[in-house]
Amino acid sequence: MRLEAAARMDLIKKLWRARKLILVVLIPLSLLPLPLIHPTSEACCAYVLIVTAVYWVSEAVPLGAAALVPAFLYPLFGVLKSSEVAAEYCKDTTLLLMGVICLAASIEKWNLHKRIALRMVMIAGAKPGMLVLGFMCCTVFLSMWLSNTSTTAMVMPIAEAVLQQLISTGVADTQEDSETVEATEDDCLSDKEENLDKNQLELYRRDSCVKQELCTLTELPTVETNGTGRKASKASLGQMSLKQTNGHLPSTAISIPEPKKEKESKDSRYPTKRDHMICKCLSLSITYAATIGGLITITGTSTNLIFAEQFNNRYPDAKVINFGTWFIFSFPIAIIMLLLTWVWLHFLFLGCNFRETCSLSKKRKTRREMLSERKIHDEYIKLGPISYPEVVTGVFFILMTLLWFTREPGFVPGWTSLFEKKGYRTDATVSVLLGFLLFLIPARRPFSRAPRTTAGDGSAERDPDPLAPMITWKDFQNLMPWEIVILVGGGYALAAGCKVSGLSVWIGRQLEPMSGLPPWMVTLLACLLVSAVTEFASNPATLTVFLPILSALSETLQINPLHTLIPATMCVSFGVMLPVGNPPNAIVFSYGHVQISDMVKAGFGVNLIGVLVVMLAIMTWGVPLFNLTEFPEWAIDRNVTGSL
């Protein structure tokens, strides 16, 4: 019996190790009757869509590899030609992403991101509440332009250095956690000591000291008071013995229980529980801030790019989604979410005493807070004065932002109106142009002397490449997320197949029973469904699957498609409850300060805040911005064409 049980367990272990391979083989075979029994374009397209979606959600194969499934299954089933599928894998947003990555490579290469982060934290100060808010603000700002993953991977080492300084200071002197820089308390204490007699002074000191061990009246001749390190002199204590009394205490030694001090276990690396809470709060705040910052710009996260491209492909006459309109809609959302998330994390880990943790007064700073500020200042000093490449990168950063905003602002004519032909220039044109220039502009100031390097024989020789550019192709290649590019292309291919085969129209007809629901209810259900699924599946894969369904649903219910698509796009980024929800969560979790229970508890609140704020935005300032009260003509034309 034992051998049989062992054999069964061994078989189960082997099957578990091979579960992904089994899933890759069984899913296509089990669904194969669908296109064989119903050999229609809709059934064939549904087969490809389901297989790809299962591969994405289960991650049985890499996301980029799963995105290639439509490239060979659509031609095999006769849904799309191979040349038509291939054209879907490189779109305008791919060029937009490439230009942004060029700028991001220059920012990271010349440490401009580190200078920005340290400067913002220096402004915020080292009080726990303000420190968390400072890190969140700089993370949000960087995540607007860099990927969420890159931002988190860059900011976390800086935060970890500050936290380690906090921990090391606490280990050295845990008693000074509540002391302020003011010396008034020490003065008052010395006055009291002078007015007390020797025996009363001994009791006063023993009653007020904070230690882990029990204090007894027999510990002589030296006594520490209040953790200050001062020792009572032998002259004041030499006359005392075990048999002496003060008229109230017995002559036997007694133990006085000490006040309990909130402290971590001996095996913990944190001096106190409060230090551990600060580490948790700061770590989680960075991943949440990276997610919030990614919402602000079209290029902030891959899901925004997926939405923009699929929307423009499905509704080419819309002309309502660009960098400016998206920023105007999403920036207030990010500000409100940032403040509410900070308050939620502060309440959860630091308590409700905002006056103590957020005070900017220098007189109320503790010793460890002063050391933390010094650590941050030292890191900033190590960067040295701002360099020429940092200035060039900053100029390109500002220039790219201004050109994006002023291309087609909507309320005034943009710079594209200067050209005779309309519709040829997009945000990708700007980003690729400036990204290309970064490969040409030298990283050294013009007409400046090249620094000399000492050769092995002692002679001085000039830098071998005085015209080295701001970035090289290797710098660009190290940051370019090719897997995301292919993943986005796979989503475009799936959307094109659904459109050509008529599957999207069929899905819309099946959703007609929901026509009795008000628009806000449909949007809320979509947000809750998407935010729940994205906790276990990747964000791009989840959005790629849901966008065609929600588009068809909106057309069927005669709702402006933006009313459901924009909130769903934003809510798909709220996979913040588990380490597998998104890469920033995994990066923060790897530092070891937080547990899964902490992420679930804090992430649930952030998820709820996000859904509520997005719903508030789409029901208020989103209505006049996108004209959500009417079913637009560009959606009517698409609906009529699709039904034909």
Side-chain angles (χ1 to χ4, degrees):
M1 293 297 293
R2 291 184 178 179
L3 293 177
E4 293 178 0
R8 283 197 297 268
M9 288 300 299
D10 187 55
L11 178 61
I12 293 174
K13 290 180 180 179
K14 290 181 179 179
L15 291 175
W16 178 254
R17 284 195 294 266
R19 65 188 185 280
K20 291 186 176 181
L21 179 60
I22 295 173
L23 187 65
V24 169
V25 176
L26 287 183
I27 290 300
L29 293 179
S30 60
L31 295 174
L32 195 57
L34 177 62
L36 295 180
I37 298 176
H38 302 282
T40 60
S41 297
E42 293 90 339
C44 294
C45 183
Y47 173 80
V48 178
L49 177 63
I50 295 173
V51 170
T52 307
V54 172
Y55 283 174
W56 272 338
V57 173
S58 64
E59 298 187 18
V61 293
L63 294 177
L68 296 175
V69 171
F72 60 86
L73 284 186
Y74 272 163
L76 289 177
F77 284 104
V79 178
L80 286 174
K81 295 180 180 179
S82 182
S83 57
E84 295 173 341
V85 178
E88 299 296 331
Y89 280 85
C90 186
K91 292 288 188 178
D92 182 69
T93 50
T94 305
L95 298 178
L96 176 64
L97 180 63
M98 293 175 69
V100 172
I101 293 299
C102 290
L103 181 61
S106 182
I107 290 175
E108 294 197 15
K109 180 178 181 179
W110 302 108
N111 279 331
L112 181 61
H113 59 307
K114 190 173 183 180
R115 185 179 296 276
I116 294 172
L118 290 173
R119 171 56 67 179
M120 296 184 72
V121 174
M122 287 170 62
I123 295 174
K127 281 286 184 181
M130 298 306 298
L131 185 66
V132 171
L133 184 60
F135 268 103
M136 290 184 72
C137 289
C138 72
T139 304
V140 166
F141 178 76
L142 293 174
S143 186
M144 290 169 58
W145 318 104
L146 308 177
S147 70
N148 299 354
T149 305
S150 299
T151 302
T152 306
M154 179 273 300
V155 176
M156 269 307 295
I158 302 175
E160 182 67 12
V162 176
L163 292 177
Q164 291 302 324
Q165 178 65 37
L166 183 74
I167 293 172
S168 61
T169 308
V171 171
D173 189 5
T174 58
Q175 302 299 328
E176 292 187 356
D177 185 35
S178 60
E179 282 190 11
T180 61
V181 179
E182 301 172 287
T184 57
E185 295 182 6
D186 292 339
D187 296 338
C188 294
L189 179 60
S190 60
D191 293 339
K192 290 180 181 180
E193 290 176 351
E194 292 176 1
N195 296 331
L196 291 173
D197 60 31
K198 299 172 184 179
N199 293 341
Q200 290 175 329
L201 175 60
E202 180 64 19
L203 289 175
Y204 171 77
R205 288 182 172 177
R206 294 186 185 279
D207 286 336
S208 60
C209 70
V210 179
K211 295 179 182 179
Q212 284 187 329
E213 296 82 14
L214 296 177
C215 295
T216 65
L217 295 178
T218 60
E219 294 175 340
L220 296 173
T222 60
V223 181
E224 290 187 1
T225 61
N226 295 327
T228 59
R230 288 190 298 270
K231 296 182 179 180
S233 63
K234 292 184 179 181
S236 62
L237 300 173
Q239 304 299 324
M240 298 185 67
S241 65
L242 285 175
K243 295 183 179 180
Q244 286 180 321
T245 67
N246 62 357
H248 300 280
L249 296 174
S251 59
T252 57
I254 51 176
S255 297
I256 301 177
E258 287 299 314
K260 293 182 179 180
K261 188 176 191 292
E262 197 173 304
K263 194 164 186 175
E264 291 285 296
S265 62
K266 294 182 180 179
D267 296 334
S268 176
R269 56 173 171 160
Y270 308 98
T272 65
K273 185 178 180 181
R274 179 175 175 79
D275 292 328
H276 195 183
M277 292 296 106
I278 294 175
C279 293
K280 289 181 179 181
C281 186
L282 184 57
S283 299
L284 290 176
S285 68
I286 291 174
T287 181
Y288 298 154
T291 298
I292 294 171
L295 301 176
I296 300 178
T297 60
I298 285 289
T299 59
T301 182
S302 59
T303 52
N304 294 354
L305 291 171
I306 293 173
F307 159 74
E309 187 61 32
Q310 289 206 18
F311 179 83
N312 292 329
N313 280 349
R314 190 179 182 92
Y315 308 106
D317 299 328
K319 307 298 182 185
V320 292
I321 297 297
N322 54 47
F323 187 89
T325 55
W326 184 273
F327 184 89
I328 293 172
F329 176 75
S330 59
F331 185 73
I333 295 177
I335 295 298
I336 297 173
M337 280 195 66
L338 175 66
L339 294 177
L340 293 180
T341 302
W342 174 69
V343 172
W344 166 245
L345 292 176
H346 194 291
F347 167 76
L348 199 62
F349 296 107
L350 303 180
C352 299
N353 193 352
F354 289 88
R355 184 177 181 181
E356 177 186 347
T357 60
C358 304
S359 174
L360 297 177
S361 175
K362 294 183 178 180
K363 295 182 179 181
R364 300 181 62 89
K365 290 180 181 178
T366 65
R367 177 175 175 269
R368 67 172 60 185
E369 288 167 0
M370 294 179 66
L371 290 177
S372 298
E373 286 188 354
R374 191 182 305 165
K375 176 71 174 179
I376 296 171
H377 186 265
D378 291 343
E379 289 292 327
Y380 186 82
I381 294 298
K382 289 179 182 178
L383 296 177
I386 189 168
S387 61
Y388 171 74
E390 289 180 87
V391 174
V392 173
T393 304
V395 170
F396 270 63
F397 176 82
I398 297 173
L399 185 61
M400 182 179 290
T401 305
L402 291 177
L403 290 176
W404 277 344
F405 268 113
T406 58
R407 182 176 65 86
E408 289 180 356
F411 50 90
V412 293
W415 56 264
T416 54
S417 61
L418 301 176
F419 297 88
E420 183 178 355
K421 294 184 178 181
K422 309 298 181 184
Y424 280 77
R425 288 147 291 275
T426 64
D427 292 336
T429 309
V430 174
S431 64
V432 172
L433 172 61
L434 296 182
F436 174 74
L437 292 178
L438 289 174
F439 288 101
L440 302 180
I441 298 177
R444 183 172 299 154
R445 191 190 307 271
F447 310 111
S448 63
R449 291 185 177 182
R452 296 180 178 273
T453 58
T454 303
D457 56 357
S459 61
E461 58 179 13
R462 292 187 177 274
D463 190 345
D465 190 6
L467 298 178
M470 292 286 295
I471 60 172
T472 63
W473 184 256
K474 186 176 181 180
D475 298 327
F476 166 79
Q477 195 171 5
N478 289 337
L479 283 183
M480 185 63 190
W482 293 111
E483 183 183 37
I484 296 298
V485 172
I486 298 175
L487 177 64
V488 173
Y492 301 156
L494 286 177
C498 292
K499 178 181 177 181
V500 172
S501 65
L503 179 62
S504 59
V505 177
W506 181 87
I507 293 175
R509 290 172 180 170
Q510 308 310 309
L511 299 174
E512 287 181 355
M514 297 181 64
S515 58
L517 296 176
W520 68 268
M521 181 63 73
V522 176
T523 302
L524 180 60
L525 292 176
C527 291
L528 294 176
L529 179 61
V530 167
S531 60
V533 173
T534 195
E535 294 290 349
F536 308 97
S538 69
N539 299 351
T542 302
L543 188 66
T544 303
V545 171
F546 274 96
L547 278 180
I549 299 175
L550 294 177
S551 298
L553 174 63
S554 301
E555 295 167 6
T556 302
L557 303 182
Q558 298 290 299
I559 301 174
N560 190 321
L562 292 175
H563 203 291
T564 55
L565 297 183
I566 291 180
T569 301
M570 291 195 161
C571 289
V572 82
S573 297
F574 298 152
V576 294
M577 293 175 61
L578 296 172
V580 297
N582 54 47
N585 287 7
I587 293 174
V588 169
F589 185 76
S590 66
Y591 277 81
H593 295 301
V594 297
Q595 298 176 346
I596 293 181
S597 59
D598 299 319
M599 301 192 75
V600 171
K601 183 168 52 176
F604 178 78
V606 175
N607 206 329
L608 186 61
I609 290 172
V611 172
L612 293 179
V613 174
V614 169
M615 288 298 301
L616 173 66
I618 204 66
M619 299 298 294
T620 52
W621 64 85
V623 173
L625 183 61
F626 299 114
N627 195 19
L628 299 179
T629 56
E630 300 178 359
F631 190 62
E633 294 184 1
W634 44 264
I636 296 176
D637 297 339
R638 169 65 182 80
N639 201 13
V640 172
T641 305
S643 61
L644 293 176

